[in-house]
Amino acid sequence: MNPETSLCTVGPLAFRFEPQTGMVRDIRFHGCEILRAIYPAVRDTRWGTLRPRVGSIDRQTRGDRLALTFSAHVADADIALDWHAEIAADASGLLVYRWRGLATQGFATNRTGLCVLHPAEVAGAPCVVEHTDGTSLASWFPSAISPHQPFKNLRAITHTVAGGAEVTTGMEGEVFEMEDQRNWTDASFKTYCRPLEWPRPYRLESGTVVEQVVRISVRGTPASPENARPTTTAAGASKAISAPRIGYTLPEPVPPLLRERLRSLRPDHLRVEASMADLDSTLAWARREAEAIGCALHVAIV
């Protein structure tokens, strides 16, 4: 476990709170993981994630209820955002993360708001998806890695954990969608705000308020982690398998030391994105990087 997190428990509900970022991790009910994380993210126009400066944490525990309240500031040369968060939890398995951001100057961003991580272990599990138009659809988390968003226009998603307990994750304040983070070797499915097919970056003018809520509720009681652990076999273990061809996306030329480290990893390819307007200049440095690292070059025209 991350030593910089603090354990929060209220009855059978437990989670780890990261005071440096405002992230809630490893959310468990009766010892069973029901969600991997909830956290606010402010990302610049190059998908860089800005680290917040979080102030003091007010923690209140009353009977079977727990509340955390805190504020933070996010800033770099182009971005300035103040945000406030309230996390409320109770012994029934309810956890609510309320987040309010205020742009103190106008800035462009690729994403500003809350993100939710479902554990990769839910792959193949059944779920019910509620869309923003109020319709619901019975579906399942993809077993094979999905190259595209498995769920779009999300308002809520309900999945079943060990022992038959149902966990509903609801999102408010923006249009959310989900991507399969296993594409980037992360062990999760990420639900994030503002669909990728919408124009980006987008601007938040000075004085703009962004308010979002993630609400987690549990119906039923999951089995204990020991009883819920799936049975595995070694059938077919001797059969040779091919590892996936892994590459890296580069936004710009890399320093010599990083280039040598990338070369030592023997990637299959480098990927760059370019518009038609800057295609020639992007190809000029991207070709040099691919040749120096010794791999193929993939170019995406956006």
Side-chain angles (χ1 to χ4, degrees):
M1 290 293 183
N2 185 346
E4 296 182 347
T5 63
S6 60
L7 179 64
C8 300
T9 59
V10 51
L13 180 66
F15 59 89
R16 291 193 170 269
F17 176 68
E18 190 174 280
Q20 297 83 3
T21 62
M23 178 182 283
V24 172
R25 295 181 179 271
D26 192 28
I27 304 167
R28 294 178 178 270
F29 192 59
H30 288 277
C32 180
E33 184 179 36
I34 59 175
L35 211 64
R36 184 136 297 170
I38 308 170
Y39 62 96
V42 179
R43 308 193 71 170
D44 61 23
T45 60
R46 304 179 73 87
W47 290 109
T49 301
L50 278 65
R51 190 176 181 88
R53 295 199 299 271
V54 179
S56 59
I57 314 294
D58 179 56
R59 178 169 175 166
Q60 300 287 334
T61 302
R62 296 179 181 176
D64 61 355
R65 297 179 182 274
L66 168 69
L68 299 171
T69 306
F70 52 98
S71 297
H73 180 65
V74 176
D76 72 354
D78 302 313
I79 294 177
L81 181 87
D82 291 333
W83 58 259
H84 179 77
E86 298 175 3
I87 301 170
D90 66 40
S92 70
L94 178 67
L95 190 152
V96 181
Y97 197 127
R98 299 182 182 275
W99 185 85
R100 184 182 189 274
L102 171 65
T104 55
Q105 72 176 47
F107 62 88
T109 177
N110 278 356
R111 178 177 300 151
T112 294
L114 292 176
C115 298
V116 178
L117 301 183
H118 281 78
E121 288 78 5
V122 301
C127 62
V128 176
V129 176
E130 181 182 345
H131 296 293
T132 53
D133 63 3
T135 61
S136 295
L137 176 69
S139 187
W140 56 87
F141 286 88
S143 296
I145 296 176
S146 175
H148 305 294
Q149 290 86 350
F151 306 121
K152 295 185 176 183
N153 298 319
L154 283 172
R155 177 182 293 172
I157 182 166
T158 299
H159 73 284
T160 303
V161 296
E166 291 183 344
V167 181
T168 298
T169 304
M171 290 76 63
E172 304 171 17
E174 180 60 283
V175 177
F176 288 78
E177 66 182 19
M178 179 184 289
E179 66 186 8
D180 191 338
Q181 289 284 97
R182 295 175 298 171
N183 276 299
W184 298 275
T185 70
D186 291 346
S188 63
F189 295 89
K190 181 165 74 175
T191 300
Y192 52 88
C193 63
R194 195 172 176 93
L196 293 180
E197 62 191 23
W198 290 11
R200 67 179 191 276
Y202 59 98
R203 282 192 63 81
L204 295 178
E205 300 299 344
S206 179
T208 299
V209 174
V210 181
E211 293 186 88
Q212 297 176 7
V213 181
V214 171
R215 189 184 309 270
I216 313 301
S217 60
V218 184
R219 186 173 66 179
T221 302
S224 66
E226 292 77 12
N227 295 333
R229 190 172 294 125
T231 302
T232 59
T233 66
S238 61
K239 182 179 178 180
I241 60 173
S242 298
R245 293 177 294 180
I246 297 176
Y248 303 93
T249 296
L250 292 185
E252 58 190 13
V254 296
L257 179 59
L258 179 56
R259 187 181 300 120
E260 287 304 312
R261 289 177 176 175
L262 286 174
R263 183 180 177 86
S264 68
L265 294 173
R266 301 174 63 187
D268 173 77
H269 61 273
L270 297 180
R271 183 181 188 274
V272 296
E273 295 183 355
S275 65
M276 291 303 298
D278 61 10
L279 180 59
D280 290 342
S281 59
T282 300
L283 283 177
W285 65 260
R287 283 170 174 160
R288 291 195 299 268
E289 294 294 341
E291 291 174 359
I293 294 173
C295 64
L297 176 64
H298 294 184
V299 181
I301 308 297
V302 298

mmCIF file of all heavy atoms in Angstrom, residues 264-301:
data_model
loop_
_atom_site.group_PDB
_atom_site.id
_atom_site.type_symbol
_atom_site.label_atom_id
_atom_site.label_comp_id
_atom_site.label_asym_id
_atom_site.label_seq_id
_atom_site.Cartn_x
_atom_site.Cartn_y
_atom_site.Cartn_z
ATOM 1 N N SER A 264 16.638 0.750 -24.925
ATOM 2 C CA SER A 264 16.935 -0.471 -24.164
ATOM 3 C C SER A 264 15.686 -1.312 -23.930
ATOM 4 O O SER A 264 15.775 -2.529 -23.720
ATOM 5 C CB SER A 264 17.576 -0.113 -22.818
ATOM 6 O OG SER A 264 16.651 0.537 -21.968
ATOM 7 N N LEU A 265 14.510 -0.690 -23.993
ATOM 8 C CA LEU A 265 13.257 -1.422 -23.823
ATOM 9 C C LEU A 265 12.808 -2.125 -25.105
ATOM 10 O O LEU A 265 11.876 -2.914 -25.091
ATOM 11 C CB LEU A 265 12.144 -0.476 -23.344
ATOM 12 C CG LEU A 265 12.330 0.105 -21.942
ATOM 13 C CD1 LEU A 265 11.255 1.146 -21.654
ATOM 14 C CD2 LEU A 265 12.279 -0.992 -20.891
ATOM 15 N N ARG A 266 13.466 -1.804 -26.216
ATOM 16 C CA ARG A 266 13.199 -2.426 -27.523
ATOM 17 C C ARG A 266 11.714 -2.353 -27.886
ATOM 18 O O ARG A 266 11.065 -3.376 -28.121
ATOM 19 C CB ARG A 266 13.692 -3.876 -27.524
ATOM 20 C CG ARG A 266 15.185 -3.992 -27.240
ATOM 21 C CD ARG A 266 15.617 -5.429 -27.102
ATOM 22 N NE ARG A 266 15.407 -6.170 -28.339
ATOM 23 C CZ ARG A 266 15.578 -7.481 -28.475
ATOM 24 N NH1 ARG A 266 15.939 -8.196 -27.426
ATOM 25 N NH2 ARG A 266 15.368 -8.075 -29.633
ATOM 26 N N PRO A 267 11.153 -1.144 -27.976
ATOM 27 C CA PRO A 267 9.735 -1.027 -28.342
ATOM 28 C C PRO A 267 9.512 -1.442 -29.792
ATOM 29 O O PRO A 267 10.421 -1.379 -30.626
ATOM 30 C CB PRO A 267 9.444 0.463 -28.146
ATOM 31 C CG PRO A 267 10.768 1.126 -28.362
ATOM 32 C CD PRO A 267 11.782 0.176 -27.777
ATOM 33 N N ASP A 268 8.298 -1.856 -30.087
ATOM 34 C CA ASP A 268 7.940 -2.218 -31.452
ATOM 35 C C ASP A 268 7.826 -0.982 -32.338
ATOM 36 O O ASP A 268 8.170 -1.018 -33.513
ATOM 37 C CB ASP A 268 6.613 -2.979 -31.449
ATOM 38 C CG ASP A 268 6.098 -3.248 -32.853
ATOM 39 O OD1 ASP A 268 6.633 -4.162 -33.513
ATOM 40 O OD2 ASP A 268 5.164 -2.537 -33.294
ATOM 41 N N HIS A 269 7.328 0.124 -31.756
ATOM 42 C CA HIS A 269 7.083 1.308 -32.581
ATOM 43 C C HIS A 269 7.009 2.553 -31.705
ATOM 44 O O HIS A 269 6.848 2.477 -30.478
ATOM 45 C CB HIS A 269 5.758 1.163 -33.351
ATOM 46 C CG HIS A 269 4.567 1.029 -32.463
ATOM 47 N ND1 HIS A 269 4.150 -0.199 -31.974
ATOM 48 C CD2 HIS A 269 3.693 1.953 -31.961
ATOM 49 C CE1 HIS A 269 3.077 -0.020 -31.218
ATOM 50 N NE2 HIS A 269 2.786 1.276 -31.185
ATOM 51 N N LEU A 270 7.129 3.691 -32.339
ATOM 52 C CA LEU A 270 6.801 4.981 -31.756
ATOM 53 C C LEU A 270 5.585 5.518 -32.492
ATOM 54 O O LEU A 270 5.447 5.345 -33.695
ATOM 55 C CB LEU A 270 7.956 5.979 -31.890
ATOM 56 C CG LEU A 270 9.254 5.644 -31.171
ATOM 57 C CD1 LEU A 270 10.276 6.734 -31.425
ATOM 58 C CD2 LEU A 270 9.018 5.465 -29.678
ATOM 59 N N ARG A 271 4.712 6.198 -31.767
ATOM 60 C CA ARG A 271 3.504 6.781 -32.363
ATOM 61 C C ARG A 271 3.522 8.287 -32.152
ATOM 62 O O ARG A 271 3.817 8.764 -31.046
ATOM 63 C CB ARG A 271 2.249 6.184 -31.725
ATOM 64 C CG ARG A 271 0.937 6.677 -32.329
ATOM 65 C CD ARG A 271 -0.241 6.036 -31.609
ATOM 66 N NE ARG A 271 -1.511 6.314 -32.248
ATOM 67 C CZ ARG A 271 -2.257 7.400 -32.034
ATOM 68 N NH1 ARG A 271 -1.827 8.326 -31.178
ATOM 69 N NH2 ARG A 271 -3.409 7.574 -32.653
ATOM 70 N N VAL A 272 3.218 9.033 -33.191
ATOM 71 C CA VAL A 272 3.103 10.486 -33.086
ATOM 72 C C VAL A 272 1.780 10.911 -33.718
ATOM 73 O O VAL A 272 1.240 10.226 -34.594
ATOM 74 C CB VAL A 272 4.274 11.225 -33.769
ATOM 75 C CG1 VAL A 272 5.592 10.899 -33.079
ATOM 76 C CG2 VAL A 272 4.345 10.888 -35.255
ATOM 77 N N GLU A 273 1.252 12.035 -33.242
ATOM 78 C CA GLU A 273 0.046 12.612 -33.811
ATOM 79 C C GLU A 273 0.385 13.947 -34.454
ATOM 80 O O GLU A 273 1.192 14.711 -33.914
ATOM 81 C CB GLU A 273 -1.028 12.805 -32.730
ATOM 82 C CG GLU A 273 -1.530 11.499 -32.139
ATOM 83 C CD GLU A 273 -2.644 11.727 -31.130
ATOM 84 O OE1 GLU A 273 -2.940 12.918 -30.837
ATOM 85 O OE2 GLU A 273 -3.227 10.742 -30.657
ATOM 86 N N ALA A 274 -0.223 14.229 -35.598
ATOM 87 C CA ALA A 274 0.062 15.477 -36.302
ATOM 88 C C ALA A 274 -1.158 15.900 -37.100
ATOM 89 O O ALA A 274 -1.948 15.066 -37.551
ATOM 90 C CB ALA A 274 1.260 15.301 -37.234
ATOM 91 N N SER A 275 -1.317 17.193 -37.258
ATOM 92 C CA SER A 275 -2.322 17.714 -38.180
ATOM 93 C C SER A 275 -1.655 17.874 -39.545
ATOM 94 O O SER A 275 -0.421 17.805 -39.672
ATOM 95 C CB SER A 275 -2.831 19.071 -37.683
ATOM 96 O OG SER A 275 -1.800 20.033 -37.713
ATOM 97 N N MET A 276 -2.454 18.109 -40.568
ATOM 98 C CA MET A 276 -1.876 18.306 -41.899
ATOM 99 C C MET A 276 -0.969 19.535 -41.921
ATOM 100 O O MET A 276 0.035 19.568 -42.641
ATOM 101 C CB MET A 276 -2.994 18.449 -42.936
ATOM 102 C CG MET A 276 -3.789 17.163 -43.177
ATOM 103 S SD MET A 276 -2.747 15.772 -43.702
ATOM 104 C CE MET A 276 -2.093 16.418 -45.253
ATOM 105 N N ALA A 277 -1.293 20.528 -41.102
ATOM 106 C CA ALA A 277 -0.515 21.766 -41.106
ATOM 107 C C ALA A 277 0.902 21.556 -40.582
ATOM 108 O O ALA A 277 1.845 22.190 -41.059
ATOM 109 C CB ALA A 277 -1.233 22.837 -40.282
ATOM 110 N N ASP A 278 1.053 20.664 -39.568
ATOM 111 C CA ASP A 278 2.393 20.469 -38.997
ATOM 112 C C ASP A 278 2.971 19.090 -39.299
ATOM 113 O O ASP A 278 3.885 18.629 -38.625
ATOM 114 C CB ASP A 278 2.366 20.712 -37.482
ATOM 115 C CG ASP A 278 1.446 19.758 -36.742
ATOM 116 O OD1 ASP A 278 0.961 18.788 -37.349
ATOM 117 O OD2 ASP A 278 1.219 19.985 -35.547
ATOM 118 N N LEU A 279 2.428 18.432 -40.328
ATOM 119 C CA LEU A 279 2.871 17.074 -40.637
ATOM 120 C C LEU A 279 4.353 17.021 -40.993
ATOM 121 O O LEU A 279 5.089 16.164 -40.496
ATOM 122 C CB LEU A 279 2.031 16.498 -41.777
ATOM 123 C CG LEU A 279 2.385 15.071 -42.229
ATOM 124 C CD1 LEU A 279 2.249 14.094 -41.072
ATOM 125 C CD2 LEU A 279 1.503 14.648 -43.396
ATOM 126 N N ASP A 280 4.818 17.925 -41.855
ATOM 127 C CA ASP A 280 6.224 17.880 -42.288
ATOM 128 C C ASP A 280 7.176 18.056 -41.121
ATOM 129 O O ASP A 280 8.168 17.319 -40.990
ATOM 130 C CB ASP A 280 6.477 18.955 -43.353
ATOM 131 C CG ASP A 280 5.796 18.628 -44.674
ATOM 132 O OD1 ASP A 280 5.435 17.456 -44.880
ATOM 133 O OD2 ASP A 280 5.621 19.548 -45.498
ATOM 134 N N SER A 281 6.902 19.041 -40.257
ATOM 135 C CA SER A 281 7.807 19.291 -39.132
ATOM 136 C C SER A 281 7.775 18.140 -38.126
ATOM 137 O O SER A 281 8.809 17.772 -37.558
ATOM 138 C CB SER A 281 7.439 20.609 -38.438
ATOM 139 O OG SER A 281 6.106 20.567 -37.954
ATOM 140 N N THR A 282 6.588 17.550 -37.926
ATOM 141 C CA THR A 282 6.495 16.413 -37.003
ATOM 142 C C THR A 282 7.243 15.211 -37.548
ATOM 143 O O THR A 282 7.983 14.534 -36.825
ATOM 144 C CB THR A 282 5.021 16.045 -36.759
ATOM 145 O OG1 THR A 282 4.344 17.165 -36.181
ATOM 146 C CG2 THR A 282 4.903 14.849 -35.823
ATOM 147 N N LEU A 283 7.082 14.933 -38.849
ATOM 148 C CA LEU A 283 7.779 13.795 -39.448
ATOM 149 C C LEU A 283 9.291 13.962 -39.373
ATOM 150 O O LEU A 283 10.026 12.972 -39.215
ATOM 151 C CB LEU A 283 7.340 13.617 -40.901
ATOM 152 C CG LEU A 283 5.970 12.974 -41.126
ATOM 153 C CD1 LEU A 283 5.654 12.946 -42.609
ATOM 154 C CD2 LEU A 283 5.926 11.564 -40.548
ATOM 155 N N ALA A 284 9.759 15.188 -39.469
ATOM 156 C CA ALA A 284 11.208 15.429 -39.474
ATOM 157 C C ALA A 284 11.848 14.914 -38.190
ATOM 158 O O ALA A 284 12.844 14.179 -38.229
ATOM 159 C CB ALA A 284 11.477 16.920 -39.668
ATOM 160 N N TRP A 285 11.270 15.301 -37.019
ATOM 161 C CA TRP A 285 11.891 14.846 -35.772
ATOM 162 C C TRP A 285 11.470 13.418 -35.420
ATOM 163 O O TRP A 285 12.250 12.667 -34.829
ATOM 164 C CB TRP A 285 11.583 15.794 -34.622
ATOM 165 C CG TRP A 285 10.153 15.908 -34.190
ATOM 166 C CD1 TRP A 285 9.266 16.877 -34.513
ATOM 167 C CD2 TRP A 285 9.442 15.008 -33.319
ATOM 168 N NE1 TRP A 285 8.048 16.657 -33.925
ATOM 169 C CE2 TRP A 285 8.123 15.517 -33.173
ATOM 170 C CE3 TRP A 285 9.776 13.833 -32.651
ATOM 171 C CZ2 TRP A 285 7.160 14.891 -32.392
ATOM 172 C CZ3 TRP A 285 8.820 13.199 -31.867
ATOM 173 C CH2 TRP A 285 7.523 13.731 -31.744
ATOM 174 N N ALA A 286 10.254 13.009 -35.809
ATOM 175 C CA ALA A 286 9.779 11.670 -35.459
ATOM 176 C C ALA A 286 10.591 10.590 -36.163
ATOM 177 O O ALA A 286 10.890 9.535 -35.586
ATOM 178 C CB ALA A 286 8.302 11.548 -35.799
ATOM 179 N N ARG A 287 10.962 10.827 -37.429
ATOM 180 C CA ARG A 287 11.793 9.857 -38.147
ATOM 181 C C ARG A 287 13.135 9.675 -37.458
ATOM 182 O O ARG A 287 13.646 8.558 -37.323
ATOM 183 C CB ARG A 287 11.985 10.311 -39.586
ATOM 184 C CG ARG A 287 10.779 10.077 -40.491
ATOM 185 C CD ARG A 287 10.968 10.770 -41.814
ATOM 186 N NE ARG A 287 9.910 10.457 -42.768
ATOM 187 C CZ ARG A 287 9.622 11.186 -43.820
ATOM 188 N NH1 ARG A 287 10.313 12.306 -44.059
ATOM 189 N NH2 ARG A 287 8.646 10.835 -44.633
ATOM 190 N N ARG A 288 13.720 10.803 -37.033
ATOM 191 C CA ARG A 288 15.028 10.722 -36.357
ATOM 192 C C ARG A 288 14.918 9.926 -35.058
ATOM 193 O O ARG A 288 15.793 9.106 -34.742
ATOM 194 C CB ARG A 288 15.553 12.130 -36.070
ATOM 195 C CG ARG A 288 15.966 12.913 -37.309
ATOM 196 C CD ARG A 288 16.793 14.132 -36.937
ATOM 197 N NE ARG A 288 16.055 15.064 -36.084
ATOM 198 C CZ ARG A 288 15.336 16.077 -36.541
ATOM 199 N NH1 ARG A 288 15.231 16.283 -37.856
ATOM 200 N NH2 ARG A 288 14.712 16.889 -35.714
ATOM 201 N N GLU A 289 13.827 10.158 -34.301
ATOM 202 C CA GLU A 289 13.667 9.443 -33.034
ATOM 203 C C GLU A 289 13.490 7.946 -33.278
ATOM 204 O O GLU A 289 14.082 7.117 -32.590
ATOM 205 C CB GLU A 289 12.461 10.002 -32.270
ATOM 206 C CG GLU A 289 12.603 11.433 -31.797
ATOM 207 C CD GLU A 289 13.688 11.610 -30.749
ATOM 208 O OE1 GLU A 289 14.089 10.609 -30.113
ATOM 209 O OE2 GLU A 289 14.155 12.742 -30.567
ATOM 210 N N ALA A 290 12.659 7.568 -34.250
ATOM 211 C CA ALA A 290 12.419 6.151 -34.534
ATOM 212 C C ALA A 290 13.698 5.462 -34.985
ATOM 213 O O ALA A 290 13.984 4.327 -34.582
ATOM 214 C CB ALA A 290 11.323 6.009 -35.585
ATOM 215 N N GLU A 291 14.478 6.140 -35.836
ATOM 216 C CA GLU A 291 15.737 5.548 -36.292
ATOM 217 C C GLU A 291 16.720 5.397 -35.152
ATOM 218 O O GLU A 291 17.413 4.374 -35.038
ATOM 219 C CB GLU A 291 16.333 6.424 -37.398
ATOM 220 C CG GLU A 291 15.532 6.391 -38.704
ATOM 221 C CD GLU A 291 16.063 7.371 -39.720
ATOM 222 O OE1 GLU A 291 17.039 8.089 -39.397
ATOM 223 O OE2 GLU A 291 15.507 7.438 -40.829
ATOM 224 N N ALA A 292 16.787 6.415 -34.262
ATOM 225 C CA ALA A 292 17.730 6.352 -33.146
ATOM 226 C C ALA A 292 17.347 5.259 -32.151
ATOM 227 O O ALA A 292 18.211 4.593 -31.581
ATOM 228 C CB ALA A 292 17.795 7.705 -32.440
ATOM 229 N N ILE A 293 16.049 5.055 -31.950
ATOM 230 C CA ILE A 293 15.577 4.036 -31.002
ATOM 231 C C ILE A 293 15.544 2.658 -31.647
ATOM 232 O O ILE A 293 15.605 1.636 -30.975
ATOM 233 C CB ILE A 293 14.199 4.449 -30.441
ATOM 234 C CG1 ILE A 293 14.362 5.726 -29.599
ATOM 235 C CG2 ILE A 293 13.560 3.346 -29.621
ATOM 236 C CD1 ILE A 293 13.063 6.343 -29.135
ATOM 237 N N GLY A 294 15.468 2.631 -32.990
ATOM 238 C CA GLY A 294 15.500 1.360 -33.706
ATOM 239 C C GLY A 294 14.166 0.664 -33.767
ATOM 240 O O GLY A 294 14.071 -0.540 -33.472
ATOM 241 N N CYS A 295 13.116 1.386 -34.140
ATOM 242 C CA CYS A 295 11.788 0.791 -34.193
ATOM 243 C C CYS A 295 10.986 1.438 -35.312
ATOM 244 O O CYS A 295 11.437 2.394 -35.964
ATOM 245 C CB CYS A 295 11.059 0.951 -32.853
ATOM 246 S SG CYS A 295 10.737 2.667 -32.419
ATOM 247 N N ALA A 296 9.785 0.909 -35.536
ATOM 248 C CA ALA A 296 8.915 1.456 -36.568
ATOM 249 C C ALA A 296 8.295 2.786 -36.096
ATOM 250 O O ALA A 296 8.308 3.103 -34.906
ATOM 251 C CB ALA A 296 7.799 0.453 -36.897
ATOM 252 N N LEU A 297 7.770 3.514 -37.058
ATOM 253 C CA LEU A 297 7.105 4.790 -36.765
ATOM 254 C C LEU A 297 5.658 4.711 -37.213
ATOM 255 O O LEU A 297 5.366 4.377 -38.364
ATOM 256 C CB LEU A 297 7.813 5.948 -37.485
ATOM 257 C CG LEU A 297 7.158 7.326 -37.349
ATOM 258 C CD1 LEU A 297 7.158 7.791 -35.901
ATOM 259 C CD2 LEU A 297 7.870 8.347 -38.245
ATOM 260 N N HIS A 298 4.732 5.014 -36.290
ATOM 261 C CA HIS A 298 3.304 5.091 -36.597
ATOM 262 C C HIS A 298 2.882 6.550 -36.525
ATOM 263 O O HIS A 298 3.137 7.228 -35.535
ATOM 264 C CB HIS A 298 2.483 4.271 -35.611
ATOM 265 C CG HIS A 298 2.706 2.796 -35.687
ATOM 266 N ND1 HIS A 298 1.999 1.897 -34.928
ATOM 267 C CD2 HIS A 298 3.560 2.051 -36.451
ATOM 268 C CE1 HIS A 298 2.407 0.661 -35.213
ATOM 269 N NE2 HIS A 298 3.359 0.744 -36.127
ATOM 270 N N VAL A 299 2.243 7.027 -37.573
ATOM 271 C CA VAL A 299 1.821 8.413 -37.650
ATOM 272 C C VAL A 299 0.301 8.480 -37.728
ATOM 273 O O VAL A 299 -0.313 7.832 -38.574
ATOM 274 C CB VAL A 299 2.432 9.136 -38.879
ATOM 275 C CG1 VAL A 299 1.987 10.597 -38.915
ATOM 276 C CG2 VAL A 299 3.958 9.040 -38.835
ATOM 277 N N ALA A 300 -0.316 9.234 -36.815
ATOM 278 C CA ALA A 300 -1.764 9.426 -36.804
ATOM 279 C C ALA A 300 -2.072 10.868 -37.233
ATOM 280 O O ALA A 300 -1.522 11.812 -36.645
ATOM 281 C CB ALA A 300 -2.342 9.158 -35.426
ATOM 282 N N ILE A 301 -2.898 11.011 -38.258
ATOM 283 C CA ILE A 301 -3.294 12.342 -38.725
ATOM 284 C C ILE A 301 -4.577 12.713 -37.981
ATOM 285 O O ILE A 301 -5.589 12.018 -38.078
ATOM 286 C CB ILE A 301 -3.534 12.358 -40.240
ATOM 287 C CG1 ILE A 301 -2.315 11.776 -40.969
ATOM 288 C CG2 ILE A 301 -3.848 13.768 -40.701
ATOM 289 C CD1 ILE A 301 -1.037 12.561 -40.773
#
